[in-house]
Amino acid sequence: MLACPSSSLHGLATLQRHSQSPHFLLSNSLLFPPSPRLATSPKCNFRSLLSGRSSRRSAVRASANSPEVSESVVGDGGALQPYSVKIPVGDRHILVETGHIGRQASGSVTVTDGETIVYTTVCLDDVPSEPSDFFPLSVHYQERFSAAGRTSGGFFKREGKTKDHEVLICRLIDRPLRPTMPKGFYHDTQILSWVLSYDGLHSPDSLAVTAAGIAVALSEVPMSKAVAGVRVGLVGDNYIVNPTTKEMEHSELDLLLAGTDDGILMIEGYSNFIPEEKLLRAVEVGQDAVRAICNEVDALVKKCGKPKMLDAIKLPPPELYEHVEEIAGDEIVKVLQIRNKIPRRKALSSLEEKVLNILTEKGFVSNDSKLRSNSETIAEILEDEDEDEEVIVDGEVDEGDVHIKLTSHKPALLFSEVDVKLVFKEVTSKFLRKRIVEGGKRSDGRTPDGIRPINSRCGLLPRAHGSALFTRGETQSLAVVTLGDKQMAQRIDGLDGDDELKRFYLQYSFPPSCVGEVGRIGAPSRREIGHGMLAERSLERILPSENDFPYTIRVESTITESNGSSSMASVCGGCLALQDAGVPIKCSIAGIAMGMVLDTKEFGGDGTPLILSDIVGSEDASGDMDFKVAGNEDGITAFQMDIKVGGITLPIMRKALQQARDGRKHILETMMNCSPPPANRLSKYAPLIHVMKVKPDRVNLIIGSGGKKIKSIIEESGVEAIDADDNGTVKIFAKDLPSLERSKAIISSLMMVPTIGDIYRNCEIKSIASYGVFVEIAPGREGLCHISELSSGWLPKAEDVFKVGDHIDVKLIEVNEKGQLRLSHRALLPDTNPDNSNIKQSTGELADDTETSSKSPEKSMDKSSTPKITASSKRSSEDDSVLPSKKFVRRLVSSSQDKPFTNKDKTKKSSNKAVGSGSVKDESSLVSGEA
C-alpha cells in the first residue's frame, strides 16, 4: 500500500465509482480504514481518520519536504537524497532509482533493465482546472535516438512529432493509471517518459508503464494504489515475464498487463489463435509478477514518498444528489428506455437543462464560478460535524472568557452549474446500471448476452480493389482495401537501427459526423491510432505470407456510424474487404466488445458481476469494463481490456472470455450471409505482380550502373515498378498484362547466358559511337560491334554506312568478365578475296608457333585476336608490297586496341606491346599514306 508520509495514515481512500446513496462511501480495499461511525451517522463523518485539525481548507499543494519523510533519504537541507532498490522481475532484476535526476519534479524515477533505461517524471499544476468528469492527465513518451547511438534521419536531426508506436505506449501508460485516481481532483497532471538507453534486448514499453506507476506513487498525486506493468510471452509451453526481443521472435503471445497488488487494470496484446485458457494462464503469471513489484513499490513509498494532496479533492455536495433524483429520477428511467442513440441523447440533454432550470428557480444554482469553493473537500468531509467549536465574541465578554457556541456545517444552499451537470451524469449512470441488473434488459431491449442485428455487404465501391460495409446496430464501418507494390509499404524508423517496412497496415478514422456532432478534422487522434492498431493486429494473423501473396496491403476503416465497439466493427469489415479484394486469408475472424456491471448487490442483485456482450456507448461509459476480443471460435488474435474500477479478478475474466467466444461465433455465422458476398478474386483495377528468381550474381545486370538499366526497363515496358533483391528475387508490378510481358521478356534476355559463336539475325542498332555500334540481340540485351567488325573493308566512320534503327546480323565472338558482349557483323559477310583464307591460315600457324615458343603460361594469348596481330606485323616487315587492303586486315581483327572490351591481365598487356610494336607503326603510316 502507498503510505502518506505527512500523517499516520496507511493510505488514501478512493471513492466508489457508482454509489446508490448520494454519499460517497469507501470500499473495503481502500487505503483509508473505514470509521466505525460511518454505519450509524447519516452524514459523512471521517473525523477519526485525521491526525489534527485544519482551520482552513484550500486547494494548495502539500510541502515536498515533509518532516515525516524518513531521515534516511532526506538530507540536512530537506532535499531528497538518492535512493535505489532492486526488484525481482521474472528471471532477473530491475533497478529503480529516485532522487538522482529530476529532483524538482513532484515525482521522478529511473528504471533500468539490462542496459535499457527509462526516465519518468510527474508534475502537477499549482492551480486546479475547471471541474469535469475526466481526470486532467496527459502522458508523453519519447524514444531518443541517442539511446541507441543514432541520430534522426530527418532534415532537422532531432526528434519531432510523436510517432505512432510512441502514441501506443502513451496509451499503455495512461489507461491503467486513470482508475486509481480519485474523483474530484482537478489539478492538471503531466507524465513525461524518455528512453535514455536501449540495448536492443529489453523492451522499454513495459518498463515505461512501471516507471510511470512508481513516479506517480512517489508524487503528491492522490492515487489509491501503486501500479506496475509487465510483458508476458509464450515460447513453447513456457510463460516468460518480460522476455527479451530475441525470445519474442519465437513467442506466439505478446501480452502487456498492468495492475495493482490485488487486481488487473489493463491487458493488451495479440496472439496466434491461442485458446482462452492459455491467455488466462498468461494473465495469472503476469499478475503474480505485478503483485511482487507493487509490494516493493509500497515499501519504497513509505521511505521516500511525498504527502498526498488530500485537500485538493473537491466533491459535489451530497444534498445535490437528492435534489437531482427527486426532480428527474422517474423521467430518467423513461428516457433510458429509448432505444436509438440520438433521440435518447437529446432527451437526456433536455432533461438536464430542465433540472438546472428548476434548481435555479428555487435559488439553489448560481452561475458564479466562485461558488465552486463551497463544494465539500475530502478534508472537510473528514471533519467531525458534531464537535463543539470554541468562538470568542468581540465586545461582549472580558478578556480571557470563552463562550461555547454550537455550529452545524450545513452545505451551502447554492450549487455550481458544473456540479449539477456532474451529478446528473452520475445519477443517469446509476439508473442505467439499476435497469440492467434489476430488469435484465438493456437500453435497446437486449439480454446481457444478446448481439445487435448485423448487416454486411461487399463490393459497393467499383473502382476500389476491395470494399465492405459492416453494420452492427448503430455502429457502421466502411472498410476499403488497396493493393500495391513495395513502394507502398509503410516505413518505420525505430531504435533498432533497421528501418522496418510494414507490408500490411490498417488506418482507422473516426469523423465527428459518425456521432452526429461537429468537430475538428485533421491528423489522427491518439484514440484513432490506438483503435487502428488493435484492428490491424487482429487481422494480421490471417494474412498469407509474402511469398504466397507479395502485395502490400492497406486497409482503411472509416466509421460512418458509432454507438460502441467501432474498432471491432473495423475488424469484421476489414475481414470482408480483404476477401473482396482477393486476398487469400487463412480464415475469417470477428471482433466483439464486452462490458460489465461489477457491484450488482447495490441494485438488489446477488453480487455476481454481470457480463454484457456487444456493449453500446452508454454501457461503455456507465459500465466498469471495456473488453475487446478478436478471433474465431478456435482462438484469439488480439485483445484489449480497460477497467474503470479498482481491478478485476481471473474468474471474471474467464467468464467474459467464454461469453465473448459465443458472441464471435454468432457474428461469424452472420458474416457468412453477406449480400452481395465477397468477390474472392483480384480486381481488374488491382496491379499485377510477377515474381522471378534469377541468380544473385546477375542481379546487377538488371539494376545497371546507378539504376539506369532498371529505369530504362520500366520506361520501355511501361510497368509500374521493378523490385530486385540481392537474393535474386525480382518482382514486377504492372497495371496491365502486355506491359508485364514486355518487362518479363527484357529481364529474361538479360539473364540469358550467351555462347560464343551464336548468331543473331535481324538485330536492331540502338546507338552509334565513334568506335562502333551497339546492337540489341534480345530485348534489353545489347552488345558492341566494333567498327573493325562492321565491314570486311576499311570503314572510316560507322555513320557512313549504318544509322540507328537499322537491322543487321551479328555473331557473338567474345564475352568479357563483366558479362559484356562483343559482336561481329564482318564474320557473317561473304569473303570477297580468296587470298584472305591463306592469310588467316598462315596467321593461325604463326600463332601456334608463338604459343609453343612461350614457356610461361601467363603469356598465352587469345587465338582469335592477338596472335593475328603478331602474324600481320611479321608479314609487314618481310614484304612491304602487301596491298593496303590486306594490311587493313591486321588492324581490323586486332582486339588489343578495343579498350571498351579488354579482357587481358597485366602480363598479356605487356606481351602485346612487345610483340605488336611494329604493327602500330605500320598502321599509323598506312593511315597517313591513305590520307
Side-chain angles (χ1 to χ4, degrees):
M1 301 298 182
L2 299 187
C4 182
S6 63
S7 66
S8 61
L9 302 178
H10 297 289
L12 172 68
T14 56
L15 302 174
Q16 289 184 343
R17 178 176 174 83
H18 301 286
S19 175
Q20 182 177 7
S21 66
H23 301 283
F24 287 84
L25 304 180
L26 297 175
S27 67
N28 295 330
S29 62
L30 302 180
L31 298 171
F32 276 135
S35 171
R37 304 179 61 182
L38 285 177
T40 57
S41 175
K43 299 181 179 180
C44 296
N45 204 336
F46 297 82
R47 168 67 178 169
S48 60
L49 299 181
L50 286 180
S51 58
R53 295 176 51 196
S54 174
S55 59
R56 181 177 181 85
R57 306 296 182 186
S58 58
V60 295
R61 295 179 59 177
S63 174
N65 52 356
S66 172
E68 294 194 29
V69 177
S70 174
E71 294 181 358
S72 61
V73 294
V74 178
D76 297 336
L80 188 66
Q81 297 299 309
Y83 188 87
S84 62
V85 60
K86 285 188 176 181
I87 302 176
V89 179
D91 58 352
R92 56 186 184 272
H93 290 74
I94 62 173
L95 177 64
V96 178
E97 298 175 285
T98 185
H100 295 262
I101 309 175
R103 293 173 295 177
Q104 296 186 31
S106 179
S108 65
V109 66
T110 58
V111 180
T112 304
D113 185 8
E115 293 183 347
T116 298
I117 301 176
V118 176
Y119 166 57
T120 303
T121 63
V122 177
C123 290
L124 296 87
D125 200 347
D126 293 332
V127 180
S129 60
E130 288 296 324
S132 68
D133 59 346
F134 194 74
F135 179 65
L137 173 66
S138 62
V139 180
H140 180 75
Y141 168 88
Q142 186 180 65
E143 295 178 350
R144 296 284 178 86
F145 283 100
S146 58
R150 301 178 56 220
T151 57
S152 175
F155 176 78
F156 296 101
K157 299 301 177 186
R158 66 177 298 170
E159 288 75 12
K161 58 173 284 189
T162 306
K163 303 180 182 66
D164 284 359
H165 73 278
E166 293 174 335
V167 170
L168 297 175
I169 299 177
C170 289
R171 288 171 53 84
L172 292 176
I173 297 172
D174 182 288
R175 285 158 40 204
L177 290 176
R178 286 190 180 276
T180 65
M181 300 299 177
K183 297 174 64 176
F185 186 75
Y186 301 119
H187 287 258
D188 286 338
T189 305
Q190 186 179 50
I191 298 176
L192 303 179
S193 185
W194 296 274
V195 179
L196 301 183
S197 177
Y198 179 61
D199 58 6
L201 289 177
H202 305 94
S203 300
D205 49 1
S206 59
L207 285 183
V209 176
T210 300
I214 298 175
V216 174
L218 294 172
S219 70
E220 301 160 291
V221 178
M223 69 182 301
S224 60
K225 289 188 175 183
V227 175
V230 296
R231 169 177 269 106
V232 180
L234 177 59
V235 180
D237 295 330
N238 299 323
Y239 294 90
I240 306 175
V241 177
N242 279 1
T244 63
T245 54
K246 291 185 178 180
E247 291 172 331
M248 285 303 300
E249 293 177 358
H250 308 286
S251 177
E252 58 178 322
L253 170 67
D254 186 359
L255 165 66
L256 203 145
L257 180 144
T260 62
D261 58 350
D262 61 354
I264 304 168
L265 295 174
M266 179 207 69
I267 64 171
E268 180 170 341
Y270 55 98
S271 59
N272 190 16
F273 291 99
I274 66 169
E276 286 78 1
E277 289 301 323
K278 283 190 175 182
L279 177 58
L280 289 170
R281 175 56 184 158
V283 172
E284 184 179 2
V285 172
Q287 188 180 14
D288 293 340
V290 167
R291 184 182 298 111
I293 297 175
C294 291
N295 292 336
E296 295 292 337
V297 173
D298 291 339
L300 176 64
V301 172
K302 292 179 181 178
K303 293 181 180 180
C304 51
K306 293 183 179 180
K308 302 299 180 180
M309 296 175 59
L310 302 182
D311 295 342
I313 300 176
K314 292 186 177 183
L315 301 173
E319 290 78 6
L320 184 55
Y321 289 84
E322 298 176 358
H323 288 300
V324 172
E325 289 189 19
E326 180 181 354
I327 295 172
D330 296 336
E331 295 187 53
I332 290 176
V333 174
K334 295 179 181 179
V335 170
L336 291 178
Q337 297 177 5
I338 302 175
R339 296 195 174 191
N340 294 330
K341 174 184 176 180
I342 300 299
R344 183 171 62 249
R345 185 183 68 187
K346 292 182 178 180
L348 286 175
S349 179
S350 300
L351 187 56
E352 179 187 70
E353 190 69 23
K354 177 182 177 181
V355 172
L356 193 60
N357 293 335
I358 292 176
L359 292 177
T360 303
E361 292 174 359
K362 292 183 178 181
F364 288 106
V365 175
S366 174
N367 293 326
D368 191 355
S369 60
K370 295 181 180 180
L371 293 175
R372 189 66 177 81
S373 61
N374 290 327
S375 300
E376 289 186 327
T377 65
I378 284 290
E380 290 169 343
I381 292 177
L382 299 179
E383 286 283 355
D384 186 358
E385 300 181 12
D386 296 331
E387 183 182 1
D388 294 337
E389 184 173 350
E390 299 177 352
V391 179
I392 298 178
V393 184
D394 295 336
E396 295 184 1
V397 295
D398 295 334
E399 184 177 356
D401 291 340
V402 177
H403 285 227
I404 305 300
K405 180 180 179 181
L406 297 177
T407 59
S408 60
H409 294 270
K410 296 182 179 180
L413 294 178
L414 292 179
F415 310 120
S416 68
E417 183 176 338
V418 175
D419 280 340
V420 174
K421 292 182 178 181
L422 292 176
V423 170
F424 181 84
K425 183 175 181 180
E426 291 191 22
V427 171
T428 302
S429 298
K430 187 186 77 171
F431 277 102
L432 177 62
R433 294 158 64 90
K434 183 178 180 180
R435 169 184 168 84
I436 296 173
V437 175
E438 289 184 351
K441 296 291 184 180
R442 296 149 76 173
S443 295
D444 51 6
R446 287 181 291 148
T447 58
D449 59 350
I451 307 296
R452 290 174 289 175
I454 296 175
N455 179 35
S456 54
R457 52 179 298 200
C458 294
L460 66 159
L461 303 179
R463 298 289 295 193
H465 299 161
S467 59
L469 183 67
F470 179 83
T471 307
R472 180 166 53 198
E474 292 181 305
T475 300
Q476 190 178 74
S477 169
L478 176 61
V480 181
V481 172
T482 305
L483 305 176
D485 56 9
K486 190 176 181 179
Q487 301 298 324
M488 202 181 80
Q490 188 178 33
R491 187 179 300 274
I492 299 176
D493 189 10
L495 290 179
D496 295 331
D498 298 331
D499 291 345
E500 178 186 356
L501 290 178
K502 291 178 61 176
R503 60 177 290 263
F504 169 69
Y505 50 96
L506 187 146
Q507 296 171 337
Y508 167 99
S509 59
F510 191 89
S513 60
C514 68
V515 290
E517 296 178 354
V518 177
R520 74 171 187 90
I521 291 292
S525 65
R526 292 190 172 189
R527 178 183 177 276
E528 290 175 313
I529 294 174
H531 281 45
M533 181 55 65
L534 177 62
E536 177 183 314
R537 288 174 173 174
S538 302
L539 295 169
E540 190 174 15
R541 294 293 177 173
I542 67 174
L543 295 177
S545 64
E546 187 174 2
N547 294 331
D548 297 333
F549 194 74
Y551 287 91
T552 296
I553 306 171
R554 179 195 182 205
V555 179
E556 299 173 79
S557 177
T558 303
I559 305 303
T560 53
E561 292 184 37
S562 178
N563 188 13
S565 189
S566 59
S567 60
M568 295 297 96
S570 300
V571 174
C572 300
C575 181
L576 292 173
L578 288 172
Q579 297 178 63
D580 188 58
V583 180
I585 61 175
K586 299 175 183 178
C587 62
S588 297
I589 64 170
I592 188 172
M594 310 297 293
M596 179 184 64
V597 178
L598 184 62
D599 188 9
T600 56
K601 282 186 177 180
E602 180 184 356
F603 308 107
D606 59 358
T608 304
L610 183 62
I611 306 298
L612 307 176
S613 297
D614 188 23
I615 58 175
V616 296
S618 59
E619 294 168 344
D620 183 8
S622 302
D624 300 322
M625 179 182 73
D626 182 13
F627 192 6
K628 301 181 178 70
V629 187
N632 59 10
E633 60 272 14
D634 298 327
I636 299 172
T637 59
F639 48 88
Q640 183 185 91
M641 183 186 72
D642 293 319
I643 300 300
K644 304 172 185 177
V645 289
I648 66 170
T649 58
L650 285 174
I652 299 176
M653 280 195 62
R654 178 175 284 104
K655 183 179 179 181
L657 286 172
Q658 292 174 353
Q659 194 166 319
R661 181 176 56 189
D662 297 337
R664 295 197 308 271
K665 185 177 180 180
H666 170 77
I667 297 171
L668 285 171
E669 292 175 354
T670 310
M671 290 169 58
M672 296 294 293
N673 300 324
C674 175
S675 179
N680 287 319
R681 66 176 182 272
L682 284 177
S683 169
K684 62 180 180 180
Y685 302 110
L688 301 176
I689 297 181
H690 179 73
V691 181
M692 304 175 62
K693 291 293 293 185
V694 301
K695 292 183 178 180
D697 57 350
R698 301 182 67 83
V699 173
N700 61 329
L701 297 178
I702 301 175
I703 299 175
S705 177
K708 293 181 180 179
K709 188 62 180 178
I710 198 169
K711 292 178 181 177
S712 65
I713 297 175
I714 293 174
E715 293 177 359
E716 182 177 350
S717 61
V719 297
E720 291 291 312
I722 299 176
D723 181 25
D725 292 335
D726 295 335
N727 60 2
T729 302
V730 180
K731 297 178 183 178
I732 306 172
F733 303 87
K735 285 187 176 181
D736 49 38
L737 189 59
S739 61
L740 180 65
E741 293 296 336
R742 285 194 297 269
S743 62
K744 283 173 55 180
I746 295 175
I747 295 176
S748 298
S749 64
L750 289 175
M751 296 299 101
M752 176 188 62
V753 180
T755 304
I756 295 178
D758 290 345
I759 297 175
Y760 302 93
R761 303 289 184 183
N762 197 30
C763 299
E764 182 182 358
I765 297 177
K766 287 294 185 180
S767 61
I768 299 177
S770 59
Y771 47 84
V773 298
F774 288 92
V775 182
E776 185 182 51
I777 62 174
R781 193 70 183 272
E782 298 179 6
L784 173 65
C785 187
H786 194 267
I787 192 172
S788 61
E789 298 291 341
L790 286 175
S791 174
S792 58
W794 181 72
L795 188 65
K797 290 183 180 180
E799 296 90 336
D800 295 344
V801 179
F802 303 99
K803 63 180 181 296
V804 175
D806 288 349
H807 292 76
I808 60 175
D809 298 337
V810 291
K811 181 179 181 180
L812 179 63
I813 61 175
E814 183 183 351
V815 180
N816 71 359
E817 59 185 5
K818 295 181 179 181
Q820 295 170 325
L821 310 180
R822 175 154 182 191
L823 307 173
S824 174
H825 176 59
R826 182 179 63 84
L828 300 179
L829 296 178
D831 193 358
T832 57
N833 192 343
D835 294 338
N836 288 343
S837 59
N838 298 330
I839 297 175
K840 292 182 180 180
Q841 179 66 29
S842 61
T843 302
E845 294 175 356
L846 289 173
D848 293 338
D849 295 340
T850 305
E851 290 180 0
T852 304
S853 61
S854 177
K855 296 182 181 180
S856 175
E858 295 179 355
K859 295 182 179 181
S860 62
M861 292 170 284
D862 192 352
K863 295 180 181 181
S864 63
S865 58
T866 307
K868 294 180 181 180
I869 299 175
T870 306
S872 300
S873 61
K874 287 187 176 183
R875 184 177 180 87
S876 63
S877 61
E878 294 176 357
D879 189 3
D880 293 337
S881 62
V882 178
L883 294 175
S885 60
K886 294 184 179 181
K887 292 187 178 181
F888 285 137
V889 172
R890 175 196 61 201
R891 178 174 181 267
L892 293 174
V893 299
S894 174
S895 63
S896 61
Q897 304 299 322
D898 300 338
K899 296 181 180 179
F901 287 86
T902 302
N903 189 18
K904 307 291 189 298
D905 53 22
K906 295 181 180 180
T907 306
K908 294 181 180 180
K909 290 181 179 180
S910 60
S911 176
N912 291 341
K913 291 180 181 179
V915 177
S917 58
S919 171
V920 175
K921 291 181 180 180
D922 287 346
E923 181 179 343
S924 61
S925 61
L926 287 174
V927 171
S928 300
E930 185 69 18

